[in-house]
Amino acid sequence: MTKIKVINPKGINEYNKVKLTNKQRHVKKNTSLTVKKVVNYGRTTRFLLTNDNYVSANKKIGLRN
């Protein structure tokens, strides 16, 4: 399992579905998240976390390995 860190100053949201709908919680900057799986969704990539929520894998949204 890989750890990622939130780098967006405003933080990011975790979602219940791969479509990034049904927001579950907000994650603040500098928080470490553990990735269980990388999921391809159309032409984008999502990270499935160990708590079974999804976040976007877009670095501009705010993630770094």
Side-chain angles (χ1 to χ4, degrees):
M1 293 194 207
T2 304
K3 291 249 184 196
I4 58 173
K5 184 177 180 183
V6 179
I7 60 172
N8 189 328
K10 294 181 180 179
I12 60 169
N13 293 317
E14 289 183 4
Y15 296 91
N16 193 327
K17 299 180 181 179
V18 73
K19 293 171 88 173
L20 298 186
T21 58
N22 208 6
K23 184 172 106 170
Q24 294 300 301
R25 75 179 187 130
H26 183 77
V27 182
K28 293 185 177 183
K29 182 180 178 179
N30 291 326
T31 304
S32 292
L33 303 171
T34 305
V35 176
K36 182 174 18 175
K37 185 177 176 182
V38 177
V39 179
N40 288 320
Y41 178 70
R43 295 192 308 181
T44 62
T45 305
R46 311 282 195 230
F47 290 136
L48 175 62
L49 305 178
T50 53
N51 62 2
D52 291 327
N53 287 335
Y54 292 91
V55 294
S56 174
N58 186 342
K59 185 175 178 183
K60 291 185 180 182
I61 290 176
L63 297 172
R64 180 175 64 200
N65 287 343

